[in-house]
Amino acid sequence: MPAQSHLNENLSEIEWVKALCPDKRDYCDTYDAYGLLGDVPTVMAHCIYGTEREKQLLKDKRVMIAHCPTSNSNVIAGLCPAAAYLRGGWEIGLGSDVAGGHTLNLFEVMVYTVQVSKMKWMLEGQKDHPLSMAEAFYMATAGGGRFFGKVGLFEPGYAFDALVLDESKLASPRSFNPAERLERYAYQGNGLLKAKYVDGRRML
């Protein structure tokens, strides 16, 4: 059975877990000791703070990190090293976390992903160049989709999951390439959803 929980979301939470489980090496160990860290398909939300040992364990066990930038901002949890995770080979996708987040719209979550990454870059020594919108889109689709199987890509053998978006209201005197159109839609977000497909079935 897959497992999903929170990990290293904020400093007070880490201290609380340490008090609850004083015999464990760290937060990761509280899950790992019971086979809940990659021994079954595992998603861990947040992963903002963590020792090098914990980070390596997440990577070795192919744990899916759910980066939740809206929640992390709203509850003042911290700045997740999402760029380092993505570019360093960790499994990472995006989460809305509506307990602390405020939207289910993954386009909005993508925007927050880029903005939070820029803030982290500015405030923490300008390391790990900020995430691009294309990288945020990957995390929202194929990145997180890897946890569920062959979803999130328009490639043979993958489930056909798609949104058909009408961007005619986003008129402009210049033309845009596909990456620019994606970024414009994510930021302006006032196009129309014309159709939705899940595993090849039209849902809208």
Side-chain angles (χ1 to χ4, degrees), residues 69-88:
T70 55
S71 174
N72 295 342
S73 299
N74 289 339
V75 304
I76 321 177
L79 301 171
C80 176
Y85 283 142
L86 177 65
R87 297 168 189 159

Side-chain angles (χ1 to χ4, degrees), residues 138-161:
Y138 170 82
M139 291 163 64
T141 54
R146 290 166 65 93
F147 184 79
F148 300 97
K150 303 196 81 172
V151 298
L153 291 173
F154 291 147
E155 291 188 0
Y158 280 73
F160 181 68
D161 300 330

Side-chain angles (χ1 to χ4, degrees), residues 79-146:
L79 301 171
C80 176
Y85 283 142
L86 177 65
R87 297 168 189 159
W90 278 262
E91 301 284 345
I92 184 168
L94 295 187
S96 56
D97 188 4
V98 292
H102 58 270
T103 179
L104 289 172
N105 185 330
L106 278 185
F107 286 107
E108 291 182 34
V109 176
M110 285 160 50
V111 169
Y112 272 86
T113 297
V114 173
Q115 291 174 336
V116 167
S117 182
K118 289 177 178 178
M119 291 297 294
K120 183 172 178 62
W121 177 81
M122 183 182 70
L123 294 172
E124 298 185 4
Q126 300 187 359
K127 299 180 295 183
D128 296 324
H129 195 271
L131 289 164
S132 67
M133 183 57 70
E135 289 174 313
F137 181 67
Y138 170 82
M139 291 163 64
T141 54
R146 290 166 65 93

Side-chain angles (χ1 to χ4, degrees), residues 4-186:
Q4 185 272 318
S5 191
H6 288 200
L7 180 66
N8 290 322
E9 181 180 5
N10 59 64
L11 297 174
S12 61
E13 173 194 33
I14 294 168
E15 291 303 312
W16 181 50
V17 171
K18 193 179 297 183
L20 290 172
C21 308
D23 59 320
K24 299 298 185 285
R25 284 181 289 181
D26 46 41
Y27 203 159
C28 271
D29 200 30
T30 64
Y31 293 114
D32 198 32
Y34 299 100
L36 295 173
L37 198 76
D39 296 324
V40 295
T42 306
V43 177
M44 287 291 166
H46 310 298
C47 302
I48 298 171
Y49 307 98
T51 65
E52 291 306 312
R53 189 198 87 84
E54 289 179 292
K55 291 176 183 177
Q56 190 61 48
L57 194 60
L58 293 175
K59 188 175 186 179
D60 292 344
K61 295 211 166 194
R62 310 303 292 173
V63 172
M64 175 61 68
I65 297 167
H67 175 40
C68 306
T70 55
S71 174
N72 295 342
S73 299
N74 289 339
V75 304
I76 321 177
L79 301 171
C80 176
Y85 283 142
L86 177 65
R87 297 168 189 159
W90 278 262
E91 301 284 345
I92 184 168
L94 295 187
S96 56
D97 188 4
V98 292
H102 58 270
T103 179
L104 289 172
N105 185 330
L106 278 185
F107 286 107
E108 291 182 34
V109 176
M110 285 160 50
V111 169
Y112 272 86
T113 297
V114 173
Q115 291 174 336
V116 167
S117 182
K118 289 177 178 178
M119 291 297 294
K120 183 172 178 62
W121 177 81
M122 183 182 70
L123 294 172
E124 298 185 4
Q126 300 187 359
K127 299 180 295 183
D128 296 324
H129 195 271
L131 289 164
S132 67
M133 183 57 70
E135 289 174 313
F137 181 67
Y138 170 82
M139 291 163 64
T141 54
R146 290 166 65 93
F147 184 79
F148 300 97
K150 303 196 81 172
V151 298
L153 291 173
F154 291 147
E155 291 188 0
Y158 280 73
F160 181 68
D161 300 330
L163 302 177
V164 179
L165 303 172
D166 179 0
E167 57 180 10
S168 59
K169 287 187 176 181
L170 307 178
S172 173
R174 60 171 288 246
S175 60
F176 296 90
N177 63 38
E180 291 170 331
R181 289 171 66 189
L182 169 67
E183 188 159 12
R184 180 180 66 160
Y185 190 92

